[in-house]
Amino acid sequence: MARTASCCLRRNYGRAFGDLGTLGDLGLDGEINLLLRRGWPADLVVSHSPDASAGKDWVGAAQVFRKYTSFRVLLALIFGILAMRKASCLVGCLAMSAFAFTRDASAMTPAGAVIHNSAAVSFDMDGASHTVQSNTVETRVAELVSYAVSVVTPTVGGARVGEVLTYTLDITNTGNGDECFVVSQQPNANVAEPVELVAVHVDSDGDGTFNATKDAVIAAGSCGPQIATNRRMRFFALGRMPADTGESQAEFALNVAPHDSGPGYGSVLPGSGDAGADKVIGYDAGASAARMWAQTSKLVVSLVKSQLVSGRAQTTAVTGDVITYSLLFKAGGEGLVKGAVVSDPLPADLGYMPGTLILDGVALSDSSDADAGHSADGLVAVRLPDQVAPFEHTITFQAVVRPQSS
């Protein structure tokens, strides 16, 4: 069994750790070629940092190795060993792989944890057995700041000038310490009139949908709630559509970063991590960007109301006067108008005159039936067909000024 375990370590683990240890001495091309020749998956090779500095190199290697230990790669490793190794070395290798390679981000050692380790030597002297203990060494686990941003709402369509749009994004803490994040506007020189960040809310009730009364707002430039390691939290970013509608779309570019986002990728901040541990910055600017878009609407809709009092264009009336109301509904530009309903709730001092409802010169009934008109309980309403702009419709009806006693 000892020979089997030794064989397994020598053939597999030693090779994997040897690959990682060699990376710091190679350039980018050399790193990629080495990993590919040794059989590392291509999608993991490209995740290794191209930065050649020592601090960044070991962080990138750690990220590669952490991904390499996923369950999917474990299966590929096991079946590869089945195909290439003899049965004498297989059993121990399979068991050790199942133990060592099933660890993932959820099993990461917490930041600030202190690992105690000591050794002992046993020997025989003068016919007696003796044991001597070594001193105990301590290792404090550094805090790795690492996270992923997922855009749930990449595009919002039909946006109008000045309209406030709601975008959804998820932030996952992939590091080993609790972190809070700041969501801010990211300036973009390529967009003359970007969508303006108005407010950021956190999904306080956890239902996944935005509710302004339930989901707490985060003050501008402030950190959101702490996100535990291997946990995801949903945020809602509200952006205002710009006034310039010359382009077909506008960009909403956000920056997501921890509260101490100043240091660059691979930086080590002594003593600033959880429980006094060092903090290692394990993310880059590309991972913290969230780019979303708003498709501009060129549809312009208006509704204008006018009146004639007893056939005259005036604004005064007496009891018993008949007022003829006209509603002009217009849609210009480009776009489809669906499900439009024009409604006019009459005040208590007016009484609708039955049989006076007209749409584009065609009389409509007052009851709820097959035609588009309806009038009941002081509400006059007309349903309009789905239609592509430009178009216009005119609705007219009459009401009488009630006496005070009515």
Side-chain angles (χ1 to χ4, degrees), residues 32-402:
I32 294 176
N33 290 333
L34 171 64
L35 294 178
L36 292 176
R37 286 200 309 272
R38 294 296 179 87
W40 285 64
D43 60 333
L44 300 185
V45 172
V46 298
S47 69
H48 178 67
S49 169
D51 196 305
S53 67
K56 300 182 182 182
D57 241 358
W58 74 263
V59 174
Q63 291 176 335
V64 173
F65 186 72
R66 189 166 64 246
K67 292 184 178 180
Y68 189 65
T69 61
S70 66
F71 185 72
R72 177 176 61 84
V73 179
L74 168 63
L75 294 179
L77 176 66
I78 291 175
F79 284 108
I81 295 173
L82 280 170
M84 295 184 293
R85 304 302 183 196
K86 295 180 181 179
S88 60
C89 191
L90 171 62
V91 176
C93 193
L94 196 62
M96 293 187 68
S97 297
F99 172 77
F101 279 88
T102 52
R103 294 177 60 87
D104 57 15
S106 63
M108 292 176 65
T109 304
V114 179
I115 301 174
H116 302 272
N117 192 17
S118 60
V121 57
S122 299
F123 58 94
D124 294 333
M125 184 176 65
D126 298 330
S129 297
H130 299 272
T131 300
V132 176
Q133 295 285 339
S134 75
N135 61 300
T136 299
V137 295
E138 295 182 353
T139 302
R140 186 177 295 275
V141 179
E143 178 181 350
L144 176 63
V145 181
S146 177
Y147 62 98
V149 179
S150 175
V151 175
V152 182
T153 314
T155 304
V156 174
R160 298 185 300 275
V161 172
E163 182 181 4
V164 176
L165 312 173
T166 302
Y167 293 84
T168 304
L169 59 151
D170 292 336
I171 302 175
T172 303
N173 182 4
T174 57
N176 65 340
D178 294 348
E179 302 292 344
C180 69
F181 299 89
V182 178
V183 180
S184 59
Q185 183 98 45
Q186 182 182 33
N188 192 327
N190 296 326
V191 180
E193 293 289 338
V195 176
E196 177 191 3
L197 178 63
V198 175
V200 177
H201 294 253
V202 64
D203 187 14
S204 301
D205 54 7
D207 65 354
T209 58
F210 177 60
N211 187 316
T213 60
K214 295 181 179 180
D215 297 326
V217 64
I218 302 173
S222 299
C223 221
Q226 291 278 340
I227 304 179
T229 180
N230 206 37
R231 295 294 181 182
R232 181 185 66 187
M233 188 172 292
R234 175 155 291 185
F235 293 81
F236 306 103
L238 275 58
R240 180 179 289 110
M241 194 66 185
D244 182 8
T245 57
E247 300 294 333
S248 61
Q249 62 181 7
E251 185 181 21
F252 191 32
L254 301 178
N255 183 68
V256 179
H259 66 284
D260 52 358
S261 59
Y265 175 76
S267 298
V268 179
L269 308 179
S272 63
D274 291 352
D278 293 349
K279 177 176 289 189
V280 180
I281 305 301
Y283 68 92
D284 55 23
S288 62
R291 298 183 64 195
M292 296 157 285
W293 299 89
Q295 298 288 346
T296 59
S297 173
K298 295 184 178 180
L299 184 66
V300 180
V301 176
S302 64
L303 180 64
V304 179
K305 186 173 185 178
S306 60
Q307 66 181 20
L308 293 175
V309 179
S310 296
R312 296 182 297 273
Q314 61 186 46
T315 58
T316 59
V318 297
T319 300
D321 278 349
V322 174
I323 303 176
T324 302
Y325 289 107
S326 294
L327 299 171
L328 178 59
F329 176 68
K330 298 179 66 175
E334 302 174 3
L336 173 64
V337 178
K338 299 180 63 178
V341 177
V342 179
S343 58
D344 192 340
L346 298 180
D349 294 330
L350 292 177
Y352 171 74
M353 297 184 66
T356 61
L357 183 58
I358 297 174
L359 171 63
D360 297 330
V362 178
L364 302 177
S365 65
D366 296 328
S367 58
S368 298
D369 49 26
D371 71 15
H374 175 64
S375 176
D377 301 324
L379 176 67
V380 179
V382 176
R383 299 187 309 273
L384 298 176
D386 296 346
Q387 198 169 356
V388 176
F391 64 84
E392 65 179 51
H393 294 287
T394 300
I395 300 168
T396 61
F397 65 90
Q398 292 181 334
V400 62
V401 179
R402 300 177 186 268

